């Protein structure tokens, strides 16, 4: 029998677990007393079909199995640090995990000290004898890297606390230097072999984590702790032994190395470095304590499993009601320390929750349940979501299936290693794959890199390097690593690597913390968000009834005391006109601070473009990373704006005197300290219909240090008839059944806060709280006519710009019938024959060939006219990433270099963009695919396909649609579209 086995749970009878393998073979597992006790605690939450990993299996003569460890739902990876922190001084409990992830991350001095100590060890481990580092130079370097974090720390504003903090920093620096120079050699830790911050994924144990320091031969590792161990206060607070949470973290990392790399735990030397003392404590492995850690992990996962399965706010409330000190204090800890410090921290959630109204409590629990289920589906869900990589795909999908799906780059060879540089990048050569292989990767994708020299090599038996794709060409890929790797020993000569998509749950972490912000928000803001009070306006201003809809909307927004909803149909200038003019209006109010937000970095780039159109010298600060920012706006990034600052008061001056801050909602919410340094009079959220309620709650409910709303008023800009946020739950699962919530307008959690408030204000007739733009300056009338008539009640008017008034697109030198139609027609449907079979990889070669042919016609036309071909005038949209890859491959095969710059993307990624010419490949081969394609909503009895609306409204001058008309006509909206094109455009049936 193999060392591990994955089984499906059936039932528990006495001391035996009855299960079956994934192939359906029945198995019986004899449980130890400890395992039996654990399973009895889990049984109320489990359903038949729940998965277990059985580790270190033995089989007796009767065929009954025994396993050293049982791991529940191993695809649900739990972070090792978060799991270890559930072992508290007052005991351990699975609800410690639930509590810690909703609590706000506060930029405290101890947290800052921990990050400082980690920076110190990075510098000192790689210190050169000829260039020794000193404390003050390292501290200056650290401040250059994190000026905002030092400035936003509230505790450092007190002079006494500041003095103590930096004295502590210096002490930790000296201690770490002593450990590295003296204790490391005694422990046999060779600095030449040190790898900093190595990452591991362990599907066997259902955990993942990142160590602080490890030897590249895996013979030893060190975890650095800047806090306290268990101290002997009888001897003046000297180190006695490691704290239980630190020890748990250490043994979990030992277990990962054991089960991932097939190493013996007793052969690995593990140390806890306490820089406070200093102590390098060698720790012994304990199987009993590892069992306790896995048992607690299973209990945590069982809670998540239960909450998402039942999907009921009332049930969730019964579970979370136990987050109280009386229940979590399983050790029965008493005394002044517990009463004064620990108990208030535990009970803070329950105390705040109990003060909410019944409506607020129901709202909070329904949102919490929703986020838990989204997180579960993103990790282990069995459904297929185009363009969304589940974490479990890394190990549950075969290499062959990854190739079919284009989800792996393999046999990569390192050609340029800059991992030790400030940018910490590596470049790898991509081999020539077979014609059938179509990799689905894009710049900006989060990825994992690992050694893969044989089919047996996976993310589960190697160290992984996490990062993002910085540049991608057909022959090479450049990855910016998340952490610098100064030691070249980690990169071996002659090694091949593989690259796969990474999974990050930081979005969900942010949503959990946002819920806590709502919990402690000011009552007036909670009342506004739940529509218990309607928004108010300032005394009326002139021009509120202007015929210029942009001017009218801006003036109405400026008159709003609380909030304002601006509906901006496609091409009406939501960003380029309305947002820009709203910023200008705010700037005229001399003391106004503005926060500009959007969902995607691409949209934030557009906001930056609009700001610089006001003035190329307009000062603003962008929150975010360099990799996700267009090069022309990187000088405005926070890190660049603060790079000349050498003191905290200088940082504070820059932040206080800059009136405009820009960023994605996620990046701004990840810097909550911003709201301690600055209060915003106005927040303007573009693309608001792509943001779920939990996305926005954190910022809208944030408070300043004085307790005031950090955002005084807000304007949400969007269009609920375009694509909403992508969620993983079905309509049935996201539907809101509670009457008390339906009264607030909340009927479906897949809808945005924008949509709920807009509908509520419109129903209540509060005209001052919303407006709609109606003049679009993007599309030619022949292109806009269908979406205007069918989606916008005929109210989407043309602004009459020059390209909208052009009557003809005829060009000289065109003789071929196909060429003439491509050259001269505004709106074209190109009909192809229905495929005899559905391609498993969601591709349609005939459509791809036709798309390339259209592009070739544009290129040839430019040659005939003696003009340079501009690939940026063409955009190609298709629903599936594999079709994107196929089209790109066929474009490359033409040998026309300019084709490599044509943008090809999914509908979701194209929202907010425009091109002179749009080519849409439906890539639908079966009725089943057709049924899954639309994203529909209903308003005033009219059914609207939001995805189709986005497709049809991206083109300025020409729109080409490629698909099978007879199959598409099974959908009533597509049937209407095809009929419209037959009448108003050109329907091409043969080529």
């Amino acid at each position: 029998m193999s060392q591990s086995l994955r089984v499906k749970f059936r039932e528990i009878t006495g001391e035996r677990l009855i299960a079956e393998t994934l192939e359906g073979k029945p198995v019986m597992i004899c449980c130890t007393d400890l395992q039996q006790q654990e399973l009895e605690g889990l049984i109320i939450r489990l359903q038949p079909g729940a998965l277990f990993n059985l580790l270190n299996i033995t089989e007796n003569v009767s065929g009954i199995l025994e396993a050293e460890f049982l791991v529940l739902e191993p695809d649900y990876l739990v972070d090792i640090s978060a799991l270890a922190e559930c072992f508290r001084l007052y005991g351990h409990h699975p609800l410690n995990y639930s509590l810690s992830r909703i609590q706000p991350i506060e930029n405290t001095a101890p947290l800052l000290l921990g990050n400082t100590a980690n920076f110190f060890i990075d510098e000192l481990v790689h210190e050169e004898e000829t260039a020794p580092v000193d404390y003050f130079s390292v501290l200056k370097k650290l401040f250059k890297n994190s000026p905002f974090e030092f400035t936003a720390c509230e505790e450092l504003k007190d002079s006494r606390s500041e003095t103590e903090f930096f004295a502590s920093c210096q002490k930790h620096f000296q201690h770490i230097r002593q450990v590295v120079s003296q204790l490391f050699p005694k422990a046999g830790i060779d600095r030449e072999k040190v790898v900093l911050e190595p990452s591991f994924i362990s599907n066997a144990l259902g955990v993942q984590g990142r160590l602080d320091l490890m030897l590249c031969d895996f013979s030893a590792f060190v975890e650095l702790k800047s806090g306290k161990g268990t101290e002997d206060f009888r001897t003046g607070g000297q180190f006695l032994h490691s704290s239980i949470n630190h020890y748990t973290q250490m043994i979990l990392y030992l277990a990962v190395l054991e089960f991932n790399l097939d190493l013996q735990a007793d052969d690995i030397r593990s140390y806890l470095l306490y820089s406070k003392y200093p102590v390098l404590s060698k720790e012994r492995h304990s199987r009993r304590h590892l069992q306790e850690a896995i048992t607690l992990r299973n209990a945590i996962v069982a809670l998540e499993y239960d909450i998402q399965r039942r999907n009921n706010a009332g049930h969730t409330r019964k579970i979370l009601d136990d987050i109280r000190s009386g229940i979590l204090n399983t050790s029965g800890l008493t005394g002044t320390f517990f009463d004064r410090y620990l108990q208030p921290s535990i009970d803070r959630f329950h105390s705040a929750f109990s003060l909410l109204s019944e409506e607020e409590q129901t709202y909070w629990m329904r949102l919490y349940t929703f986020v838990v289920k989204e997180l579960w589906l993103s990790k282990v869900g069995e459904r297929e979501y185009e363009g969304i990589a589940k974490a479990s795909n890394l190990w549950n999908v075969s290499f062959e299936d990854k190739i079919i799906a284009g989800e792996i780059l393999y046999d990569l060879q390192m050609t340029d290693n800059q991992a030790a540089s400030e940018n910490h990048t590596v470049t790898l050569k991509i081999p020539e794959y077979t014609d059938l292989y179509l990799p689905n990767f894009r710049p900006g994708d989060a990825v994992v890199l690992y050694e893969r020299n044989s089919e047996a090599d996976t993310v589960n038996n190697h160290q992984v390097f996490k990062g993002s794709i910085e540049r991608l060409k057909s022959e090479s890929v450049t990855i910016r690593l998340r952490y610098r790797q100064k030691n070249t020993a980690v990169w071996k000569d002659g090694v091949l690597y593989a690259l796969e998509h990474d999974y990050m749950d930081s979005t969900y972490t942010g949503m959990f913390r946002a819920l806590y912000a709502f919990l402690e928000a000011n009552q007036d803001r909670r009342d506004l968000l739940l529509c218990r009070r309607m928004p108010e306006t300032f005394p009326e201003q002139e021009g509120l009834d202007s015929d210029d809809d942009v001017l009218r909307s801006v003036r109405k927004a400026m008159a709003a005391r609380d909030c304002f909803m601006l509906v901006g149909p496609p091409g009406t200038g939501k960003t380029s006109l309305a947002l820009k003019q709203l910023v200008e209006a705010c700037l005229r109010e001399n003391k106004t601070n503005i926060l500009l937000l959007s969902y995607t970095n691409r949209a934030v780039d557009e906001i930056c473009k609009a700001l610089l159109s006001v003035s190329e010298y307009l000062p603003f600060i962008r929150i975010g990373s360099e990799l996700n920012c267009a090069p022309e706006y990187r000088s405005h990034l926070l890190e660049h704006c603060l790079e000349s600052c050498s003191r905290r008061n200088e940082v504070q001056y820059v932040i206080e005197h800059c009136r405009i801050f820009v960023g994605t909602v996620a990046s701004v919410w990840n810097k909550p300290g911003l709201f301690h340094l600055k209060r915003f009079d106005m927040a303007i959220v573009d693309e608001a219909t792509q943001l779920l309620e939990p996305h926005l709650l954190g910022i809208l409910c944030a408070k300043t240090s004085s307790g005031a709303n950090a955002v005084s008023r807000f304007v949400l800009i969007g269009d609920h008839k375009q694509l909403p946020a992508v969620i993983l739950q079905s309509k049935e699962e996201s539907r809101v059944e509670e009457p008390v919530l339906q009264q607030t307008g909340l009927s479906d959690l897949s809808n945005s806060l924008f949509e709920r408030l807009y509908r509520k204000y419109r129903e209540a007739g509060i005209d001052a709280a919303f407006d709609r733009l109606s003049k679009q300056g993007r599309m030619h009338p022949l292109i806009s006519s269908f979406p205007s008539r069918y989606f916008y009640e005929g109210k989407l008017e043309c602004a009459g710009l020059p390209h909208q008034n052009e009557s003809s697109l005829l060009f000289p030198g065109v003789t071929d019938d196909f060429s003439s139609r491509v050259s001269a027609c505004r709106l074209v449907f190109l009909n192809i024959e229905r495929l005899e079979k559905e391609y498993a990889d969601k591709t349609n070669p005939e459509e791809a060939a036709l798309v390339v042919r259209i592009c070739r016609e544009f290129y040839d036309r430019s040659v005939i006219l003696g003009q340079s071909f501009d690939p940026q005038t063409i955009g190609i949209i298709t629903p599936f990433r594999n079709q994107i890859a196929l089209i790109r491959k066929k474009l490359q095969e033409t040998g026309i270099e300019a084709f490599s710059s044509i943008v090809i993307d999914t509908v979701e990624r194209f929202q907010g963009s425009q091109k002179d010419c749009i080519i849409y490949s439906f890539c639908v081969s079966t009725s089943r695919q057709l049924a899954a394609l639309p994203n529909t909503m209903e308003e005033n009895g009219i059914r609207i396909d939001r995805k189709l609306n986005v497709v049809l409204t991206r083109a300025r001058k020409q729109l080409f649609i490629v698909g099978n008309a007879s199959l598409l006509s099974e959908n009533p909206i597509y049937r209407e579209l095809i009929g419209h094109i037959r009448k108003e455009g050109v329907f091409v049936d043969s080529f």
Side-chain angles (χ1 to χ4, degrees):
M1 184 68 70
S2 63
Q3 186 184 21
S4 65
L5 180 68
R6 180 171 290 201
V7 298
K8 292 182 179 179
F9 167 76
R10 282 189 184 174
E11 60 178 325
I12 297 172
T13 58
E15 62 181 18
R16 293 185 179 177
L17 170 65
I18 311 300
E20 64 181 36
T21 66
L22 300 186
E23 294 76 29
K25 178 184 175 181
V27 291
M28 188 176 294
I29 301 99
C30 183
C31 301
T32 65
D33 291 342
L34 209 65
Q35 290 171 342
Q36 185 180 357
Q37 186 178 4
E38 175 191 356
L39 290 171
E40 287 173 354
L42 298 179
I43 192 65
I44 61 170
R45 306 195 186 281
L46 298 187
Q47 291 288 298
L51 296 177
F52 278 95
N53 262 359
L54 312 180
L55 301 180
N56 286 346
I57 302 169
T58 58
E59 183 178 0
N60 65 23
V61 292
S62 302
I64 297 176
L65 305 181
E66 291 185 6
E68 183 180 13
F69 301 110
L70 307 176
V71 181
L72 172 64
E73 290 290 347
D75 291 340
Y76 193 95
L77 299 185
V78 177
D79 184 78
I80 286 176
S81 296
L83 174 56
E85 286 304 310
C86 292
F87 285 81
R88 303 288 178 88
L89 183 64
Y90 51 80
H92 55 273
H93 196 286
L95 285 174
N96 284 332
Y97 182 84
S98 305
L99 176 60
S100 63
R101 75 174 174 191
I102 61 175
Q103 288 177 321
I105 299 176
E106 298 180 0
N107 187 28
T108 61
L111 179 63
L112 196 59
L113 180 61
N115 294 334
T116 300
N118 275 287
F119 188 83
F120 288 163
I121 199 167
D122 288 0
E123 293 294 308
L124 290 167
V125 161
H126 295 294
E127 180 183 33
E128 298 177 8
E129 291 185 11
T130 56
V133 298
D134 68 273
Y135 167 70
F136 290 105
S137 63
V138 173
L139 193 63
K140 288 179 181 179
K141 185 176 180 180
L142 173 61
F143 183 82
K144 285 290 183 183
N145 285 352
S146 309
F148 178 84
E149 285 67 28
F150 275 91
T151 306
C153 182
E154 289 287 316
E155 291 161 273
L156 298 190
K157 295 178 181 179
D158 175 75
S159 59
R160 179 178 177 181
S161 298
E162 177 190 37
T163 301
E164 291 175 353
F165 173 80
F166 285 106
S168 184
C169 285
Q170 188 164 17
K171 181 176 71 173
H172 281 257
F173 178 85
Q174 294 166 347
H175 286 171
I176 292 172
R177 163 163 273 167
Q178 179 184 342
V179 170
V180 170
S181 61
Q182 299 176 21
L183 301 185
F184 272 16
K186 292 180 181 178
I189 299 174
D190 186 352
R191 286 196 295 160
E192 297 298 318
K193 295 181 179 180
V194 163
V195 179
L196 294 173
E197 306 192 65
S199 296
F200 289 92
I201 295 170
S202 180
N203 175 235
L205 295 163
V207 296
Q208 65 177 348
R210 172 172 51 86
L211 291 82
D212 288 329
L213 181 154
M214 183 182 72
L215 297 187
C216 57
D217 61 5
F218 310 115
S219 62
F221 71 85
V222 178
E223 276 297 295
L224 171 64
K225 301 299 173 186
S226 60
K228 298 178 180 179
T230 300
E231 298 179 334
D232 185 355
F233 292 99
R234 294 170 299 179
T235 58
Q238 296 300 305
F239 177 84
L240 189 62
H241 58 77
S242 300
S243 295
I244 185 64
N245 54 337
H246 302 156
Y247 180 72
T248 301
Q249 186 177 1
M250 188 273 304
I251 65 159
L252 283 167
Y253 282 130
L254 266 175
V256 167
L257 295 178
E258 174 187 347
F259 287 98
N260 276 35
L261 306 180
D262 199 24
L263 301 173
Q264 294 297 314
D266 291 339
D267 295 337
I268 304 169
R269 289 168 290 132
S270 53
Y271 299 89
L272 287 168
L273 193 172
Y274 285 91
S275 54
K276 178 180 183 290
Y277 300 105
V279 168
L280 185 63
S281 176
K282 186 175 182 180
E283 305 292 341
R284 294 181 60 84
H285 189 39
S286 163
R287 301 305 265 194
R288 179 191 63 80
H289 200 80
L290 177 59
Q291 180 67 67
E292 290 180 3
I294 293 176
T295 297
L296 184 57
R297 179 218 164 266
N298 288 346
I300 291 168
V301 173
L303 276 180
E304 301 291 288
Y305 175 94
D306 189 33
I307 289 173
Q308 67 83 27
R309 181 181 65 82
R310 293 178 184 256
N311 197 30
N312 179 275
H315 180 71
T316 302
R317 181 171 181 171
K318 291 177 182 177
I319 292 173
L320 298 192
D321 190 54
D322 284 345
I323 300 181
R324 288 176 286 167
S325 57
I327 292 175
L328 300 191
N329 185 16
T330 57
S331 297
L333 192 66
T334 59
T336 303
F337 181 72
F338 179 80
D339 296 341
R340 184 175 296 177
Y341 299 105
L342 299 181
Q343 185 173 357
S345 176
I346 299 170
D347 288 334
R348 178 178 170 184
F349 164 75
H350 191 270
S351 298
F353 185 80
S354 64
L355 295 175
L356 299 181
S357 68
E358 182 63 29
E359 181 183 45
E360 291 168 335
Q361 291 180 349
T362 304
Y363 176 75
W364 197 96
M365 285 298 172
R366 187 63 188 91
L367 288 186
Y368 181 90
T369 305
F370 173 81
V371 178
V372 168
K373 191 168 187 69
E374 282 291 294
L375 178 57
W376 182 275
L377 291 173
S378 74
K379 289 189 173 187
V380 304
E382 296 180 357
R383 304 170 197 152
E384 291 298 323
Y385 303 98
E386 181 60 33
I388 298 176
K390 294 173 297 202
S392 55
N393 287 353
L394 282 169
W395 51 84
N396 283 339
V397 176
S398 69
F399 177 68
E400 290 74 18
D401 286 341
K402 288 176 182 178
I403 291 178
I404 292 173
E407 294 297 321
I408 187 170
L409 287 170
Y410 60 98
D411 290 347
L412 305 175
Q413 293 178 300
M414 190 83 67
T415 57
D416 185 26
N417 187 343
Q418 300 296 324
S421 70
E422 288 296 326
N423 286 334
H424 36 91
T425 61
V426 292
T427 300
L428 302 105
K429 178 183 177 183
I430 302 174
E432 290 188 15
Y433 299 122
T434 65
D435 291 340
L436 298 176
Y437 187 57
L438 308 168
N440 285 325
F441 291 88
R442 293 178 278 211
D445 283 355
V447 292
V448 291
L449 180 71
Y450 61 95
E451 291 183 21
R452 187 184 183 278
N453 296 292
S454 71
E455 291 187 8
D457 294 333
T458 70
V459 293
N460 278 314
N461 54 28
H462 279 282
Q463 175 187 351
V464 299
F465 302 93
K466 298 197 171 193
S468 298
I469 295 178
E470 187 171 86
R471 290 186 299 277
L472 180 62
K473 302 178 180 178
S474 58
E475 71 283 355
S476 67
V477 58
T478 299
I479 303 159
R480 182 174 293 192
L481 301 174
R482 206 172 295 173
Y483 306 103
R484 291 176 70 181
Q485 291 293 340
K486 296 181 181 180
N487 194 334
T488 57
V490 73
W491 311 102
K492 302 168 187 173
D493 294 333
V495 164
L496 298 177
Y497 292 91
L499 190 72
E500 297 192 53
H501 286 102
D502 192 15
Y503 165 87
M504 300 174 69
D505 59 8
S506 55
T507 298
Y508 302 102
T509 303
M511 287 197 281
F512 282 121
R513 289 193 293 108
L515 290 177
Y516 205 94
F518 175 83
L519 194 71
E520 297 190 338
N522 288 321
Q523 189 63 54
D524 73 304
R525 184 53 51 91
R526 292 204 301 266
D527 288 343
L528 179 69
L529 293 172
L530 290 179
C531 299
R532 283 202 295 253
R533 72 173 181 89
M534 291 294 117
E536 301 174 355
T537 59
F538 292 109
E540 288 193 6
Q541 301 176 12
E542 294 182 3
L544 295 185
D545 57 351
S546 171
D547 291 334
D548 183 331
D549 57 358
V550 173
L551 179 61
R552 181 189 66 245
S553 297
V554 168
R555 287 175 174 170
K556 287 178 72 175
M558 292 300 294
R561 284 182 182 271
D562 304 295
C563 63
F564 183 78
M565 309 293 120
L566 177 57
V567 180
T572 53
K574 296 189 296 291
T575 306
S576 60
L577 295 176
L579 182 143
K580 173 187 171 182
Q581 291 186 26
L582 194 50
V583 169
E584 291 176 310
C586 289
L587 290 175
R588 287 193 289 271
E589 296 183 1
N590 292 331
K591 295 183 180 180
T592 301
N593 290 312
I594 314 164
L595 180 61
L596 301 173
L597 303 164
S598 194
Y599 177 56
T600 65
N601 281 290
R602 181 185 292 181
V604 174
D605 286 339
E606 289 299 315
I607 292 175
C608 293
K609 180 180 178 181
L611 291 176
L612 292 178
S613 71
V614 175
S615 168
E616 61 179 311
Y617 304 108
L618 183 67
F620 64 89
I621 291 176
R622 177 165 176 173
I623 308 293
S625 68
E626 187 172 272
L627 194 58
N628 293 319
C629 177
E632 57 266 37
Y633 310 122
R634 288 177 182 171
S635 62
H636 292 273
L637 285 168
L638 178 66
E639 59 192 85
H640 294 301
C641 293
L642 300 181
E643 60 187 356
S644 63
C645 299
S646 58
R647 301 176 64 85
R648 282 178 291 131
N649 60 356
E650 294 173 1
V651 173
Q652 191 150 354
Y653 180 87
V654 170
I655 291 174
E656 285 179 356
H657 287 77
C658 182
R659 295 175 57 190
I660 304 175
F661 282 72
V662 191
T664 65
V665 169
S667 62
V668 170
W669 182 231
N670 279 333
K671 285 198 179 296
L674 177 64
F675 301 116
H676 292 294
L677 297 174
K678 199 166 190 71
R679 185 171 190 242
F680 293 94
D681 303 275
M682 173 83 81
I684 306 172
V685 185
D686 201 4
E687 283 191 339
T689 47
Q690 290 191 285
L691 290 157
L692 300 169
E693 300 217 7
H695 285 138
L696 278 175
L697 282 183
I699 292 174
L700 299 186
C701 294
K703 296 193 292 188
T704 64
S705 300
S706 64
N709 291 328
V711 172
S712 297
R713 52 185 171 146
F714 57 90
V715 175
L716 304 184
I717 303 175
D719 180 10
H720 56 291
K721 295 182 181 180
Q722 296 187 60
L723 280 171
V726 176
I727 73 163
L728 308 182
Q729 295 172 56
S730 67
K731 278 291 182 183
E732 291 73 23
E733 291 168 329
S734 64
R735 185 179 296 120
V736 175
E737 304 289 355
E738 294 84 354
V740 69
L741 297 183
Q742 291 177 346
Q743 291 175 9
T744 72
L746 188 62
S747 59
D748 189 333
L749 289 171
S750 67
N751 293 335
S752 63
L753 176 67
F754 174 100
E755 184 171 352
R756 176 168 68 85
L757 295 181
Y758 168 69
R759 290 184 186 279
K760 196 71 176 175
Y761 298 160
R762 191 181 64 180
E763 290 170 4
I766 307 176
D767 294 344
F770 67 90
D771 206 342
R772 185 171 81 171
L773 305 177
S774 59
K775 291 185 173 61
Q776 64 87 15
R778 175 185 298 163
M779 296 160 276
H780 189 276
L782 284 173
I783 298 173
S784 65
S785 59
F786 183 87
S788 176
R789 183 187 307 172
Y790 288 90
F791 301 151
Y792 293 100
E793 303 167 328
K795 297 178 181 178
L796 189 57
E797 307 169 19
C798 285
L801 299 183
H803 74 277
Q804 294 177 313
N805 292 326
E806 293 174 347
S807 58
S808 174
L809 275 171
L810 292 176
F811 292 91
V814 176
T815 57
D816 177 81
D817 183 55
F818 181 82
S819 300
S820 67
R821 287 173 173 177
V822 171
S823 298
C825 298
R826 299 283 185 183
L827 184 60
V828 183
F829 188 97
L830 300 166
N831 187 34
I832 65 160
E833 293 297 320
R834 187 165 181 167
L835 296 179
E836 295 182 2
K837 64 174 182 177
E838 175 187 354
Y839 280 75
D841 54 357
K842 295 181 180 176
T843 60
N844 189 309
E846 292 185 30
E847 289 192 23
L850 194 52
V851 169
V852 174
R853 184 177 174 185
I854 296 170
C855 293
R856 186 64 190 252
E857 290 294 338
F858 280 107
Y859 179 81
D860 291 344
R861 186 180 70 189
S862 298
V863 172
I864 291 171
L865 297 176
Q867 300 171 348
S868 61
F869 172 73
D870 183 2
Q872 297 304 316
T873 61
I874 298 176
I876 301 171
I877 306 176
T878 190
F880 309 121
R881 286 170 65 113
N882 278 20
Q883 183 74 350
I884 291 172
L886 178 60
I887 292 171
R888 184 164 297 287
K889 185 175 182 65
K890 287 187 175 294
L891 284 172
Q892 290 174 351
E893 289 172 352
T894 65
I896 300 173
E897 185 177 346
F899 281 177
S900 63
S901 298
I902 293 177
V903 176
I904 314 172
D905 226 323
T906 60
V907 186
E908 289 77 9
R909 302 263 294 213
F910 239 98
Q911 184 153 312
S913 299
Q914 64 178 21
K915 297 288 180 182
D916 283 353
C917 170
I918 288 291
I919 308 169
Y920 181 52
S921 168
F922 260 107
C923 197
V924 171
S925 305
T926 67
S927 298
R928 183 177 62 84
Q929 281 187 340
L930 179 66
L933 190 61
N935 186 311
T936 57
M937 63 166 287
E938 190 171 305
E939 185 168 272
N940 298 330
I942 300 172
R943 201 161 181 79
I944 298 163
D945 184 346
R946 294 184 280 198
K947 182 175 286 190
L948 182 64
N949 187 23
V950 173
V951 169
L952 299 180
T953 55
R954 301 306 97 194
R956 297 178 72 247
K957 297 181 177 182
Q958 289 181 280
L959 174 63
F960 297 89
I961 300 175
V962 184
N964 177 261
S966 63
L967 174 60
L968 293 172
S969 293
E970 294 177 12
N971 178 295
I973 298 179
Y974 297 162
R975 184 167 60 248
E976 292 281 356
L977 172 65
I978 293 168
H980 175 84
I981 295 175
R982 285 182 185 273
K983 182 179 178 181
E984 304 290 341
V986 175
F987 184 93
V988 184
D989 208 9
S990 60
F991 313 104

